[in-house]
Amino acid sequence: MLIMKTAQSDRAEAAGATSGGPRSLTRILALFDLLARSDQRMSLSELSSAIDCPKSSLLVLLRPLTEKGYLMREEDNYFLGPRIFQFAQSILTNHPFESALRAVMSDMVAQTGETVLFAVRDGGNVVYSAVVESPQPVRYVAQMGINRPLFCSASGLVMLAYETPQDLDDYFRRTELTPLTPNSITDEKELRLLISQIRKTGYASTAGTAHVDAAGFGVPVFRADGHLAGALVIGAPLERANRNKKQYVAAAKTGAERLSRALGYRSGLKGTALH
């Protein structure tokens, strides 16, 4: 098994060294971070090497964590225990993300005058989990819970842009690219090129691909681990979208950055690479 120290582990240890904080605390944080990112159980030797901690010192930390259920041990290998998942769930349950989401979306509507949506993935589709409509008489309208195919929606293209190459291949292999409108892109090569561009620019834009007279501008929102939490989208009538594209893209990026920070994400995290 290849063992690597994580960037967060390095930062945690550096913070402890500069602030004078107890070394055991930074090692515990590094330990949890390492095991959370690993898809395999790890031995004492592997943990010791990964977080640069002597085995004797590490055992002093591992024993109480195991006794309390924060870690589990089987055949001299360690992995996260039920207490740490309960702890994480308590944090997520009480995390004010919904309040932050509603505040950010409302600010974006006030700034742009357009409808703002938050989308999450559901298999081969995206689902709008939150919608704040534009106050204008002519506006983009979408109901919460409605879904759209990934390949023809701004939010869906954002999801595809952060797939691994293998997952993206699997998606195209199993998906029938049935157009929703005459403008829907159904050529796989063209879609792959578009997805690559989204990855570089940090946003997706569509015009008439899901609704003939509507455009969308989607931007990724990241969790603390650098993986996607969803996509923040501005939906607008085509005429206004063409006229105000730069403003809408800038507003969507700013809003997505605020939401990502609310989820604990920090820019530059390596996890934002294809996961």
Side-chain angles (χ1 to χ4, degrees):
M1 180 192 301
L2 178 62
I3 305 298
M4 297 180 65
K5 295 181 68 175
T6 66
Q8 286 189 337
S9 298
D10 289 339
R11 288 198 296 271
E13 291 182 8
T18 56
S19 65
R23 180 176 296 180
S24 61
L25 177 58
T26 59
R27 284 174 171 170
I28 289 173
L29 293 174
L31 179 67
F32 283 142
D33 179 65
L34 177 66
L35 289 173
R37 290 172 177 272
S38 175
D39 59 357
Q40 301 181 51
R41 301 176 182 189
M42 301 180 69
S43 68
L44 175 64
S45 295
E46 291 167 340
L47 292 172
S48 173
S49 174
I51 66 173
D52 193 22
C53 176
K55 293 180 183 179
S56 57
S57 299
L58 185 55
L59 272 174
V60 173
L61 302 178
L62 291 173
R63 283 170 181 156
L65 292 173
T66 303
E67 291 173 359
K68 297 292 186 180
Y70 289 98
L71 297 178
M72 298 291 287
R73 178 188 175 189
E74 286 185 3
E75 298 180 353
D76 294 326
N77 290 316
Y78 293 86
F79 54 98
L80 295 179
R83 283 292 297 277
I84 195 66
F85 290 108
Q86 293 169 4
F87 182 55
Q89 185 60 48
S90 297
I91 293 174
L92 291 174
T93 300
N94 296 303
H95 195 283
F97 177 69
E98 291 298 328
S99 298
L101 176 62
R102 193 53 66 165
V104 167
M105 293 174 68
S106 297
D107 286 349
M108 291 171 61
V109 171
Q111 180 183 352
T112 64
E114 302 295 355
T115 296
V116 178
L117 313 96
F118 186 72
V120 295
R121 184 165 181 174
D122 181 19
N125 298 303
V126 289
V127 177
Y128 299 134
S129 63
V131 178
V132 179
E133 282 196 9
S134 163
Q136 302 193 67
V138 179
R139 62 184 183 272
Y140 180 86
V141 177
Q143 296 179 339
M144 285 180 56
I146 199 167
N147 60 54
R148 293 281 182 269
L150 294 173
F151 73 92
C152 63
S153 58
S155 54
L157 288 169
V158 167
M159 308 290 180
L160 292 176
Y162 291 87
E163 288 275 43
T164 64
Q166 180 179 347
D167 287 341
L168 191 60
D169 290 343
D170 291 342
Y171 170 78
F172 281 117
R173 186 162 40 248
R174 66 175 182 267
T175 302
E176 185 175 350
L177 304 176
T178 304
L180 293 187
T181 77
N183 299 317
S184 298
I185 300 173
T186 57
D187 180 79
E188 181 179 334
K189 289 184 179 180
E190 188 174 354
L191 284 168
R192 285 182 179 274
L193 178 60
L194 179 59
I195 288 167
S196 177
Q197 292 172 340
I198 293 167
R199 187 70 191 170
K200 294 175 182 177
T201 62
Y203 76 94
S205 64
T206 56
T209 58
H211 296 283
V212 173
D213 298 319
F217 303 95
V219 178
V221 174
F222 297 106
R223 300 193 304 259
D225 61 6
H227 291 167
L228 279 184
L232 193 61
V233 182
I234 294 178
L238 274 177
E239 182 181 351
R240 291 204 301 264
N242 291 333
R243 186 169 64 245
N244 301 314
K245 178 178 179 178
K246 289 185 178 180
Q247 177 194 356
Y248 294 170
V249 170
K253 285 188 172 183
T254 299
E257 288 172 3
R258 289 175 60 189
L259 287 176
S260 296
R261 287 197 301 271
L263 287 172
Y265 172 74
R266 296 295 177 265
S267 60
L269 190 65
K270 292 183 179 180
T272 53
L274 294 175
H275 59 277

